[in-house]
Amino acid sequence: MPLEFLPAKNSSQSAKVNGIFLHSSYNPEAEAERFVQNLQADFKPTCLVILEGGLGYCLPFLRKRFPDAKIACVRYCDDFHQFDKAWDFCITLKKGKSLSQNLFDLLGEENLFQCLFYEWPASAKIWQEESALAWKEIKAAMEKAKSLLATREYFGKRWLKNKFLFFDNLNKICFLKKIEKPILICASGPSLEDAIPSIIKNRERVFLCALSSAIKPLTANNIKADLCLSSDGGYWAKKHLDALRKNSWACPLALNPEAACPSDLFKSKKILPLCYEDDALSKKLFEALKIEPILFKRNGTVSGSALDFFLSQSDENIFFAGLDLQNFIDKSHARPNALDTENERKDFRLSAKETREAKSSFYNPSLEIYAQWFCSKNLENRNVYRITGSRKFKRTLGQIKDIKQSEFERLILESCSDKNEAFEFQEKSESEILNKNERAKKIQEIAKEAFKSDWLLNEIFPADFIMAQREMDFSQKEKRGLLIKEKSEKLFTEVFARGRKTN
């Protein structure tokens, strides 16, 4: 569209697009002030987004009315970038690029729910197609934020219960003192089955870490791991760990407090304690129990957690088997698989096994997100490899190099590490850990304080907490605060008053 800059009657700059004035031809400042005065705001925002604010005349009036809010602009065209610096940030709407994802990346789910969106009136008339697309993208971003807040609330409670169960049951503790062997991390993608012969052949030359979902396929092939690692708080992770109850593996289990784990494994297994860097509650509980965990960054996938863990623990080469991160027509994971065993019980004539397995070939956006994380990972000149099998991978994983089984075997043989003492665990004696009664007392003291804190309430009741923050009416704000308090007390009772038998 043809754009023309021209002076208004009061000598300020105005603009005309395709014959329509974007700003007043008489007094753009007065027009902008009226626009801001007429905006409806039924809550206190942390951010305002103006859809194509043009020359930005509304900015000073917005900052005066909303002094604590960030003020951003969505651009419909490229002709106003010289005015972008006045805004806190600007996003250009472009076909083929997701405005909803950009908004989500910049604001996150919490700020999106505390954000107000307005459109400069003339922009809606001039750029009708762009306006419709922008509002559609905003709706998508809000739906994603709503979904994530609901997920956070559901899993936040689950993870919280897992944490207290973890610290309640923690008994035998160990740490990795050294690893002087190449490290092989086994995930449960279908290509793990192809790698089994090479793993058996070179088993004693590697330090083998089994992720929870890979335990059953490794056990089926009489392959024992040196370490099992699980960081997932879902019930499915717990199902995978059930396999450790039925085999004779003496290897330790690396867990973070949010992970779901059968309680009896705490008695039979040494636990290597992990902790997310942003998990403030777990850090406090570890400190109270005089345990120093291994810190690592939060990841959407246990494979990512394992990579971060071993990059921090060893300088040796790292290999992945079964890290497929894509769908295949015939299967989605190596077999046997603990969840298959569970699901087979529900198969019947009208919902057969074939129908269930066919779903594995459908597009899975989560796998795309996980793959992107590996692609963007900076390995800082470390050697990390992915073993390929007979299946062709659709995508590479950034600095992670794809190698064939023959290349894996060559690299392992070159390392010449076949000594059993090439890694070592160091145990923490039971006398160094608080006894059961002292531990329970400490945990409950910390929990009482935590359940009153804003940071924990925001973690376990995010939607309610945000709505309370948004409220402008004092009585409504107080009402929402009482609701959160009631929910918090109820959850505390569930966790402590009834006892914690199993997770």
Side-chain angles (χ1 to χ4, degrees):
M1 288 184 177
L3 171 68
E4 179 186 358
F5 291 102
L6 67 168
K9 294 291 184 183
N10 69 344
S11 299
S12 295
Q13 190 177 34
S14 186
K16 186 188 286 187
V17 182
N18 206 27
I20 302 172
F21 274 98
L22 180 63
H23 296 287
S24 170
S25 61
Y26 292 91
N27 190 331
E29 290 89 353
E31 176 192 40
E33 185 175 15
R34 285 194 302 272
F35 168 75
V36 173
Q37 287 174 346
N38 292 328
L39 294 178
Q40 298 295 314
D42 56 359
F43 64 88
K44 185 180 179 181
T46 59
C47 181
L48 288 97
V49 177
I50 306 299
L51 304 184
E52 192 46 271
L55 305 181
Y57 283 113
C58 60
L59 258 173
F61 304 107
L62 287 169
R63 294 199 187 281
K64 185 177 179 180
R65 183 175 172 186
F66 304 98
D68 300 323
K70 286 187 176 181
I71 303 174
C73 181
V74 171
R75 292 293 189 198
Y76 289 165
C77 69
D78 296 322
D79 299 300
F80 301 108
H81 285 316
Q82 59 183 308
F83 306 100
D84 286 355
K85 290 182 180 179
W87 304 84
D88 289 314
F89 62 87
C90 290
I91 306 172
T92 301
L93 179 74
K94 290 184 178 179
K95 289 183 179 179
K97 291 192 175 181
S98 174
L99 172 63
S100 64
Q101 188 59 49
N102 279 333
L103 286 169
F104 196 87
D105 290 343
L106 285 164
L107 297 173
E109 66 268 25
E110 291 185 24
N111 281 322
L112 271 171
F113 255 82
Q114 298 179 81
C115 185
L116 288 171
F117 294 88
Y118 302 107
E119 187 167 30
W120 184 250
S123 297
K125 296 177 183 178
I126 296 168
W127 292 284
Q128 294 181 21
E129 185 180 338
E130 288 82 355
S131 173
L133 176 60
W135 285 112
K136 182 181 178 182
E137 289 285 303
I138 289 166
K139 182 180 179 182
M142 295 302 292
E143 287 295 326
K144 182 177 180 180
K146 181 180 177 181
S147 174
L148 276 174
L149 286 173
T151 302
R152 271 179 55 186
E153 178 151 349
Y154 175 81
F155 282 104
K157 293 175 186 175
R158 179 68 269 172
W159 292 335
L160 187 68
K161 291 177 181 178
N162 285 348
K163 285 177 190 180
F164 290 117
L165 284 160
F166 174 91
F167 288 103
D168 224 17
N169 290 304
L170 204 55
N171 188 18
K172 304 171 183 176
I173 299 173
C174 69
F175 295 93
L176 266 171
K177 194 172 180 182
K178 66 175 182 177
I179 306 177
E180 296 178 357
K181 284 185 173 185
I183 296 159
L184 175 61
I185 303 170
C186 290
S188 63
S191 67
L192 175 62
E193 294 182 23
D194 295 334
I196 290 293
S198 290
I199 295 173
I200 293 172
K201 186 176 178 181
N202 295 278
R203 174 61 194 90
E204 296 305 319
R205 296 187 177 95
V206 297
F207 178 94
L208 195 154
C209 174
L211 306 185
S212 54
S213 56
I215 294 170
K216 202 159 186 176
L218 291 176
T219 304
N221 288 278
N222 296 315
I223 300 171
K224 292 183 180 180
D226 296 309
L227 179 72
C228 293
L229 189 150
S230 182
S231 61
D232 203 316
Y235 80 94
W236 49 86
K238 185 179 173 184
K239 288 291 179 186
H240 289 306
L241 290 176
D242 274 341
L244 290 179
R245 292 165 156 172
K246 301 167 186 175
N247 64 39
S248 59
W249 291 6
C251 66
L253 176 59
L255 286 177
N256 68 302
E258 290 179 4
C261 178
S263 296
D264 56 344
L265 286 183
F266 285 95
K267 297 176 183 177
S268 61
K269 296 289 179 187
K270 296 183 184 74
I271 303 298
L272 194 155
L274 309 175
C275 184
Y276 291 129
E277 290 177 349
D278 63 355
D279 189 350
L281 178 57
S282 291
K283 283 182 178 179
K284 283 188 176 184
L285 290 164
F286 274 123
E287 186 179 355
L289 270 57
K290 300 177 182 177
I291 298 169
E292 190 173 341
I294 296 167
L295 298 178
F296 67 120
K297 292 180 181 179
R298 191 177 293 276
N299 286 286
T301 168
V302 66
S303 300
S305 298
L307 178 58
D308 275 345
F309 172 73
F310 285 109
L311 285 172
S312 70
Q313 293 296 301
S314 175
D315 295 325
E316 298 289 335
N317 291 346
I318 298 173
F319 299 86
F320 273 101
L323 186 66
D324 298 4
L325 298 177
Q326 70 179 70
N327 299 90
F328 292 103
I329 294 175
D330 59 331
K331 62 176 77 171
S332 60
H333 44 247
R335 293 171 179 163
N337 180 274
L339 298 186
D340 278 348
T341 305
E342 185 78 9
N343 291 328
E344 281 169 2
R345 297 170 187 164
K346 303 172 188 175
D347 293 336
F348 65 104
R349 185 170 57 86
L350 299 179
S351 181
K353 177 181 178 181
E354 289 74 16
T355 304
R356 171 168 52 81
E357 291 183 341
K359 294 177 182 178
S360 68
S361 64
F362 298 163
Y363 172 71
N364 185 339
S366 295
L367 295 179
E368 190 73 36
I369 293 169
Y370 301 155
Q372 285 300 323
W373 181 87
F374 282 101
C375 288
S376 63
K377 182 70 175 174
N378 183 2
L379 299 177
E380 299 178 348
N381 299 318
R382 292 291 301 278
N383 290 323
V384 181
Y385 305 93
R386 176 172 67 161
I387 305 169
T388 64
S390 58
R391 297 167 186 273
K392 189 175 181 180
F393 295 139
K394 294 177 184 176
R395 60 172 77 87
T396 57
L397 298 180
Q399 296 177 33
I400 298 175
K401 302 162 193 164
D402 284 347
I403 58 171
K404 294 181 179 180
Q405 292 173 57
S406 57
E407 181 69 1
F408 163 67
E409 293 184 17
R410 184 185 69 78
L411 289 169
I412 294 299
L413 285 171
E414 281 181 1
S415 70
C416 297
S417 293
D418 57 358
K419 297 179 181 178
N420 291 328
E421 62 268 23
F423 66 90
E424 183 180 348
F425 288 102
Q426 185 176 30
E427 293 184 34
K428 193 176 179 73
S429 67
E430 292 185 22
S431 62
E432 296 178 84
I433 307 169
L434 291 177
N435 66 46
K436 190 79 173 175
N437 291 335
E438 289 176 326
R439 188 190 314 170
K441 186 179 177 181
K442 284 278 187 184
I443 291 171
Q444 196 153 346
E445 284 175 2
I446 292 170
K448 279 182 181 178
E449 289 302 313
F451 270 79
K452 297 175 187 175
S453 64
D454 284 351
W455 59 267
L456 183 62
L457 295 175
N458 186 24
E459 185 177 313
I460 55 180
F461 306 116
D464 289 317
F465 192 84
I466 290 169
M467 293 301 289
Q469 295 290 99
R470 285 177 21 152
E471 284 292 353
M472 299 173 73
D473 181 85
F474 179 77
S475 61
Q476 288 299 315
K477 195 178 189 76
E478 192 175 45
K479 188 177 179 180
R480 288 194 179 276
L482 288 171
L483 176 64
I484 293 171
K485 184 181 177 183
E486 288 174 10
K487 286 186 172 183
S488 175
E489 289 173 350
K490 183 181 177 182
L491 183 59
F492 184 87
T493 301
E494 286 178 15
V495 174
F496 288 97
R498 298 176 189 174
R500 302 189 295 283
K501 296 178 180 179
T502 179
N503 57 344

